Amino acid sequence: MENDYAELLPRVCAVLGDSRKSVVDDTCLEKLLDCFQAITGNETELCILQKIPCLINIVNASKQKDLNPSILSFIMRLTGLLAASEDHFCKLEADGIMNSLFGNPANFETEAWKDATVRCGWLLGIQNMLHHEALIHFLCKHDCISEIIWLQKDPSIFVASTASQLLANILSFTLQHSEFATLKTSSKIEVTDAVGTVTQLNSTVWSECVCAITEHIDEFLRSNITSNIQQSLKLLSKISVTCSPVCFSSLWLKIEGSIKLLLNGDLTTIGQPLAELLLNVSRSTRCEVLHSKTWELLRILLSSLNQAEALPLATGILKLQNCPQPLRMQAMTTMFQPLNYIFNMTSAQPKDAAVVLDEGLNHRVDIEQHLSKKSTCISLICQTLSHLFEFLKMPSQVKDLSYQGLINSVLTILQLCIGTAVPTTSAGIKIGRHLIGCIKVQRAGIDVIGAIVQWTGEVKEVENALNLLLDYVRNPDTDCTVLKKTLQALLQWMLCCIKVADSAVFENKLQEFIHGDFISIIKKRLFDVHWEIRDSTVEFLGELCFQFKEIQSFCLLIGTSGLPHLVLELLSDPESYVRASSIIALGKMDYLSPNWQTLSNEKNLMEEKKIILSSLLDILNQDTEGFPRRAVVKVFADWAKNSHKLSSCELADVVPVVLKIGGYDLDWEVKMYSLELAEAFIDGSPFKSINSYADALPNNIRSTQVRCFLQNLCDTGIFDILFHALWDCDRPVAQKACKILMKLKTTASRADSIENVKNLNGYKPNSESFHSWLSHNHLNLKNVEDVMEVLITLDLEYQHQHLTCSSDHIETSLRSLLQDILAAAENSEENDADCY
């Protein structure tokens, strides 16, 4: 490590400490600090840094009065890193460096402290030193705690945020030892934490620091000034996350009274930070006494907030572990009350068909107020559905949910959006007017319907959901994004019919559904005027066929419906995304499988295959867009992995053609899929059999099999593609090719006559020298013996290691960074440091 910077570091430090030199780019300084921070994580390396004279010199340069603010900030943060150990901190304090840099900011020059960069550097420098008692003693001695508190209101958002986080870290760091101090076992103890080893903690110093910050928090909580209260609540939230549970409990006892007072006042502007604090406390503390108090505070807060503010709190409560059942029921009631209200106002079904809630809880009057206006109505319903969707993704938390009532409520809202529901009250009619054609509500509602499918248990629920989703697909006014979500949800509901335990009844219902308007609606959407709808529909059809491919009745129905031929027509769609999706759908439809045979004889089936393969090869060879070409090679790779789709003869015919075109494509993803196709072809049965029992075979038989296998690859042209890709400018392509070649090298080494070239292993060419070497040695990649020699001779392991390194592993080194800083200083007019 020392050699990386020993030569250049003194010159760089001289530049940074000279106010006459050009100011180095801030990004370079940040990167240099990152390098030093990584180094100081090792105690040995930290000692090395502390002994480098030039770094001490640059720290001493902070006494200059005309330093650039960026350089001064850099020196502060660097000093903090160097002073992370108590011994070095004391040495710098004795030299007066600590007082000049981190003493009371009132001693700074007014102009320097006015710069936000300097204030931020001061805070971050202190943060870097937060490892020992000496710093806390220093901060109290110079009244720095009050300055950090003041900086929370700094006009610079970054400075204010940094000050708040530093204050939380200081309090957490001191509080974690307060439990030992109160035991009075010793005034000095040793504690090891995640940051490092903290030694010689004096309890009187800790008490002074804790009291100063705690009094500030409590004072702000009681100040009746909204900004002060919000600031203290956010600070407490940070402390609750970073502080140990036991220590935070002792702090909580001191400010609990102020929190209760807040709950009795106006929560309009402080409800959100207060909710975040209480949730953080509930999640992070394990004290039973504190938990019981927190549950009560959450109950009061949840009932005090308006519906829109209560929704995120209710969701947070439902995520909590060991949440009391009454509070959990209150949260669920808060979440579902808007849905129940809409259901009762618009549906003719009995009220018990809605979600069962706690009738003992008061109905929120503000729900009616929100739903009476269009903007607040849409906002509240979207929020409710969004939080409900998040809630449904937590399987362990939704055991006691009334799914039937939930589905009824959400289906009613979605019906209102397209005008198929008939409201039964004047309030319901008004809500229906607000929701008709509302895309936001439709998207949120479809997400919920798609998420709740896994808990369905009644045939009637499935039937209602399928019919509603099909109504959305049928509706010509359905937005493109809504239709995409609808088709995804429809697929999930169709799949649930074949995955439930007692699937016979559900399968019959699904058969009725498919034999209805389903096929005709899908056909119509496949040729919609909007390309996004055509794209979503063909994606849906392909995935549907893939999931149902084992169900023969479905395959026969799709095969006779004419849908596969419509997908073939979409291969010539004017939009490239649709062409690509059609190709992928064609691959997923298993069109070449016997289940899809709808033609009268085998001759017609072969003709159909030729048409499909020819169409795909034409797209790969002629399409000007990358998406369809990628899709073609991806489908061929998938077919190569699943031998039932194409016979071995068909694969042997088509793979060389695809590789010859795709392997030299300009699109890197086309090349990657081409390599996947090559790998799938290689991983066929001959290769597997060679590796599985080769060692048990006599040498001559094993060598013959290896040569036959490799000669087959030579004839296919795979080695031409692999060695071309090995030097590709796109790193993922080269890495993939190298891995495949390494696997083939292992196979080639099993041949007995290869021993005479094994001693040549270690050749490390580049692209140009490799082809020159092939030409000079008259090596032909179509000849199996030559290929075996090339595989063994090349140091593919070295090449793989080289490709694994990041492309900028040299440029991002510490040496390169120091060189950039020097170059920037030497060219002060242009100041063109390369900061990547």
Side-chain angles (χ1 to χ4, degrees), residues 186-200:
S186 174
S187 62
K188 295 185 178 182
I189 55 178
E190 178 172 328
V191 180
T192 301
D193 62 5
V195 179
T197 301
V198 185
T199 59
Q200 304 295 304

Side-chain angles (χ1 to χ4, degrees), residues 23 63 363 368 409 535 762:
V23 179
K63 297 177 181 179
H363 177 71
E368 299 176 27
S409 298
D535 186 56

Side-chain angles (χ1 to χ4, degrees), residues 478-535:
T478 300
D479 179 75
C480 300
T481 57
V482 175
L483 184 87
K484 185 178 182 69
K485 287 178 175 289
T486 301
L487 290 171
Q488 291 169 346
L490 180 59
L491 176 63
Q492 295 304 315
W493 280 90
M494 293 177 73
L495 285 174
C496 86
C497 293
I498 62 174
K499 291 183 178 180
V500 293
D502 184 18
S503 61
V505 178
F506 289 90
E507 285 185 13
N508 291 335
K509 186 61 64 176
L510 180 61
Q511 289 287 345
E512 292 178 16
F513 173 76
I514 294 176
H515 282 85
D517 296 336
F518 174 75
I519 297 295
S520 61
I521 292 173
I522 294 299
K523 283 182 178 181
K524 185 176 179 180
R525 285 305 199 178
L526 280 175
F527 291 91
D528 196 276
V529 293
H530 299 97
W531 73 262
E532 297 93 341
I533 291 181
R534 299 197 303 273
D535 186 56

Side-chain angles (χ1 to χ4, degrees), residues 638-681:
D638 179 63
W639 286 350
K641 294 173 186 175
N642 299 275
S643 57
H644 69 276
K645 297 185 178 182
L646 289 175
S647 66
S648 56
C649 294
E650 289 170 329
L651 274 176
D653 290 339
V654 78
V655 167
V657 180
V658 176
L659 291 179
K660 187 175 181 180
I661 302 172
Y664 295 93
D665 198 282
L666 296 178
D667 187 291
W668 77 271
E669 289 192 56
V670 175
K671 290 182 285 189
M672 278 294 289
Y673 286 129
S674 297
L675 292 176
E676 287 188 14
L677 171 60
E679 186 175 33
F681 186 77

Side-chain angles (χ1 to χ4, degrees), residues 190-238:
E190 178 172 328
V191 180
T192 301
D193 62 5
V195 179
T197 301
V198 185
T199 59
Q200 304 295 304
L201 304 177
N202 191 302
S203 60
T204 58
V205 175
W206 295 126
S207 300
E208 180 183 350
C209 182
V210 170
C211 288
I213 301 176
T214 306
E215 288 173 4
H216 152 70
I217 294 174
D218 198 49
E219 179 185 348
F220 270 32
L221 289 175
R222 296 175 182 268
S223 65
N224 292 326
I225 301 174
T226 301
S227 60
N228 289 352
I229 297 173
Q230 290 175 337
Q231 189 181 101
S232 286
L233 291 175
K234 291 177 182 178
L235 178 58
L236 283 170
S237 290
K238 293 177 181 177

Side-chain angles (χ1 to χ4, degrees), residues 435-453:
L435 296 184
I436 190 74
C438 181
I439 295 173
K440 289 182 179 179
V441 175
Q442 290 175 3
R443 284 198 294 249
I446 295 295
D447 282 339
V448 173
I449 288 296
I452 204 175
V453 62

Side-chain angles (χ1 to χ4, degrees), residues 249-426:
S249 299
S250 64
L251 170 65
W252 185 258
L253 295 175
K254 295 183 179 181
I255 52 92
E256 184 182 16
S258 301
I259 298 295
K260 288 181 178 178
L261 288 176
L262 293 178
L263 290 173
N264 296 326
D266 183 14
L267 298 173
T268 305
T269 55
I270 64 171
Q272 182 181 356
L274 187 54
E276 182 182 349
L277 169 62
L278 293 178
L279 289 174
N280 279 344
V281 173
S282 302
R283 282 190 291 260
S284 58
T285 60
R286 293 183 292 274
C287 177
E288 292 300 326
V289 176
L290 186 59
H291 260 172
S292 62
K293 296 181 178 181
T294 308
W295 300 138
E296 177 61 19
L297 294 177
L298 283 170
R299 183 193 66 77
I300 297 172
L301 180 60
L302 187 59
S303 60
S304 303
L305 294 173
N306 64 47
Q307 181 65 30
E309 293 175 333
L311 278 172
L313 177 58
T315 305
I317 290 173
L318 292 171
K319 291 180 181 179
L320 295 175
Q321 299 293 330
N322 303 319
C323 178
Q325 185 60 26
L327 179 59
R328 175 180 168 79
M329 195 62 192
Q330 182 186 359
M332 290 182 63
T333 300
T334 301
M335 179 178 291
F336 295 119
Q337 268 189 350
L339 300 181
N340 273 18
Y341 179 83
I342 295 173
F343 180 80
N344 293 331
M345 292 297 104
T346 58
S347 176
Q349 297 184 53
K351 288 188 177 182
D352 58 6
V355 181
V356 179
L357 302 178
D358 187 351
E359 298 295 339
L361 296 174
N362 294 329
H363 177 71
R364 292 178 179 270
V365 180
D366 61 317
I367 290 179
E368 299 176 27
Q369 298 173 349
H370 276 88
L371 296 177
S372 63
K373 296 180 181 179
K374 182 172 183 177
S375 59
T376 53
C377 172
I378 291 173
S379 175
L380 178 61
I381 294 176
C382 285
Q383 286 184 58
T384 303
L385 293 173
S386 175
H387 288 290
L388 178 56
F389 177 66
E390 184 181 350
F391 175 64
L392 289 172
K393 292 190 294 184
M394 304 181 293
S396 61
Q397 301 295 313
V398 293
K399 297 177 181 177
D400 51 354
L401 187 61
S402 172
Y403 299 109
Q404 183 176 1
L406 176 58
I407 291 175
N408 290 336
S409 298
V410 179
L411 289 179
T412 299
I413 291 175
L414 289 172
Q415 287 170 345
L416 287 171
C417 290
I418 57 174
T420 57
V422 181
T424 56
T425 65
S426 59

